[in-house]
Amino acid sequence: MRIHQTLWNAAKFRQFFDFGNREIANWFPGHMAKGLRQMKASLKNVDYHIPFSGRNPLFQESLDIKPHLLVLNKMDLADLSEKQAILKQLKREGVGNVLFADCLTQRDENIKKVVPVVTQLIESSPRFHRTENMEYCLLVIGIPNVGKSSFVNALRRMHIKKGKASKVGGEPGITKAVLSKIQVCERPLIYLLDTPGVLPPKIESLETGMKLSLCGTILDHLVGEDVIADYLLYTLNKHEQLSYVDKYELGEPCDDIQHVLKKIAVKLGKTQRVKAITGVGDITITVPNYSAAAYDFIRVFRKGELGRVMLD
């Protein structure tokens, strides 16, 4: 890595990402709009609301989610060197109750804090004060693919020792409707409503949209895996996170996505046979499969194998 750093200091990489005429800022599938309507209809039965990672202004405007707890999930993939700065910024925005979590870890100490925190917030709020019914129903909301269902399952696993109640997956759109109440704790008796991920109808910028797509919040094919892979390479170089060089045996850092994908394809044996027209007739040649290489590059990053990166 020291050699890579020396090469980095001498390299001339991109300072800005060229979005060209791409437009990815208007992705609002029908099931998202339907999910938002279902959330509104469910509020009369809900005592407390958890916007789970992602800051969709629709939640605040449409659902009136106060008080609430913000759970920032997948922290095993993020660089937390700026954790205190993040908390200060959220506090300036009026978010005082924040937990960092990794819901896939079997023993996440922060997940243990969720029930005490929400119980205290509910009991201290005049809006929800009551003595006749000690059953709580919470709504789990957030943008797609941030781990809402994993959060529900983690609480069940921790407090009532039961398995999965919500289906999970590595891409957005697994949960498409507000589910029925799922018990996650006995003392106090707490139920959660899992919900589909909802993005704003218009993402504020292409930069934000590209960050969301890199994290798997927007379906890859809607943006293009070649574009996502290029933005990933730009991001890794920008953050001086050069572990991809060793991972794919590149020899040195590179700013050319076609060159990087060719190297990845060759290393992984991802090739395809295509016909080529020549002066003496058609022949079949073997070429790198750039799509397969981009697929691997993106997913290796999402699994945390290329280091921890904070995109914001």
Side-chain angles (χ1 to χ4, degrees), residues 26-146:
N26 291 291
W27 190 68
F28 198 65
H31 82 266
M32 289 193 179
K34 177 182 178 182
L36 190 60
R37 292 194 299 270
Q38 290 177 328
M39 289 180 207
K40 293 178 182 178
S42 299
L43 287 179
K44 62 180 180 298
N45 299 318
V46 172
D47 306 298
Y48 186 78
H49 321 292
I50 303 179
F52 192 77
S53 192
R55 307 295 310 287
N56 186 344
L58 279 178
F59 297 146
Q60 187 65 50
E61 297 169 6
S62 303
L63 302 180
D64 186 25
I65 52 169
K66 287 187 177 181
H68 66 269
L69 170 66
L70 176 63
V71 182
L72 299 175
N73 192 32
K74 301 188 179 182
M75 286 297 104
D76 58 311
L77 303 178
D79 177 5
L80 294 182
S81 60
E82 300 296 328
K83 181 177 178 179
Q84 294 305 314
I86 294 170
L87 290 173
K88 288 181 181 179
Q89 177 62 32
L90 288 171
K91 189 172 183 178
R92 285 193 291 268
E93 296 177 8
V95 182
N97 301 299
V98 182
L99 285 179
F100 293 83
D102 173 14
C103 292
L104 296 182
T105 300
Q106 294 295 315
R107 297 182 180 275
D108 187 343
E109 293 300 316
N110 284 326
I111 292 296
K112 292 182 180 179
K113 299 176 184 179
V114 171
V115 168
V117 170
V118 298
T119 301
Q120 180 182 9
L121 286 171
I122 293 172
E123 294 178 350
S124 63
S125 173
R127 178 178 176 182
F128 302 113
H129 181 67
R130 63 198 178 174
T131 57
E132 72 282 359
N133 186 0
M134 294 307 295
E135 173 185 308
Y136 300 134
C137 186
L138 290 63
L139 189 66
V140 182
I141 61 180
I143 63 175
N145 200 31
V146 292

Side-chain angles (χ1 to χ4, degrees), residues 199-245:
L199 286 170
K202 186 172 181 60
I203 300 171
E204 63 181 32
S205 68
L206 282 170
E207 182 82 26
T208 297
M210 195 62 76
K211 291 177 182 178
L212 292 171
S213 64
L214 182 54
C215 292
T217 297
I218 299 173
L219 288 169
D220 291 344
H221 74 271
L222 295 175
V223 180
E225 290 184 333
D226 57 332
V227 179
I228 299 174
D230 192 20
Y231 185 74
L232 170 56
L233 180 63
Y234 159 79
T235 299
L236 292 175
N237 288 335
K238 176 182 176 181
H239 288 272
E240 301 185 22
Q241 181 56 267
L242 308 178
S243 58
Y244 71 91
V245 177

